[in-house]
Amino acid sequence: MNHDTPMAEIIAGMCRADHAACLEFTRRQTREDQQALELGAALLRDLAADLRARDVVSLMAWSSPEAYDPVPEALLIQALKGAAAQDADRVRAALTPMGFADLCAVATTADFLRQAAEHLRVYGGPAHAASPQRRLI
């Protein structure tokens, strides 16, 4: 993925917990939104992990797949918006209807987003990162 990749394709990649999609999405945000995304992604990951841990049987039987099935895009976007606003109730409302595998995918996506935001904060990014193509969802 690169700066020419359509945003719809990036969002679809994020629904499958694709690392490159998460990096490109984060790179396209303003610096301020990258900071909000870094904090929000940690909240999203923590809440997804909490809900996932409540299903002990699935947790014990879980084996990470090579690739995740896509999570519902609308729920991921709702969760990301809530996470960026640090609204735990909104994030929890988006995550609650998800199954165990979807929660694992969301937690992985959140980790990738947090890592990408942290990387860009510490090391910077490509020259065109300062002129984002889209604000945070």
Side-chain angles (χ1 to χ4, degrees):
M1 298 209 173
N2 59 37
H3 64 279
D4 292 329
T5 305
M7 186 56 79
E9 188 176 327
I10 291 170
I11 299 294
M14 290 170 52
C15 289
R16 294 185 317 274
D18 178 71
H19 184 268
C22 294
L23 178 60
E24 183 59 23
F25 176 81
T26 304
R27 189 196 60 76
R28 290 186 186 191
Q29 306 310 312
T30 64
R31 296 290 184 215
E32 179 181 285
D33 284 344
Q34 287 174 0
Q35 291 171 350
L37 188 57
E38 185 175 356
L39 294 173
L43 172 67
L44 180 58
R45 182 202 59 228
D46 290 348
L47 291 174
D50 178 58
L51 289 171
R52 186 176 57 190
R54 294 176 187 192
D55 186 354
V56 177
V57 173
S58 295
L59 183 61
M60 297 304 290
W62 179 250
S63 177
S64 291
E66 287 292 320
Y68 288 102
D69 290 333
V71 300
E73 186 175 312
L75 292 178
L76 179 64
I77 290 172
Q78 180 184 346
L80 283 172
K81 285 181 178 180
Q86 292 292 302
D87 185 347
D89 292 333
R90 187 173 176 186
V91 174
R92 197 173 287 107
L95 297 179
T96 299
M98 292 185 181
F100 187 85
D102 287 347
L103 290 171
C104 291
V106 168
T108 300
T109 296
D111 274 336
F112 289 160
L113 290 169
R114 184 194 52 75
Q115 291 166 4
E118 179 181 24
H119 177 86
L120 291 169
R121 176 177 47 80
V122 172
Y123 300 106
H128 52 283
S131 52
Q133 299 176 24
R134 178 178 171 175
R135 289 186 46 81
L136 185 60
I137 292 180

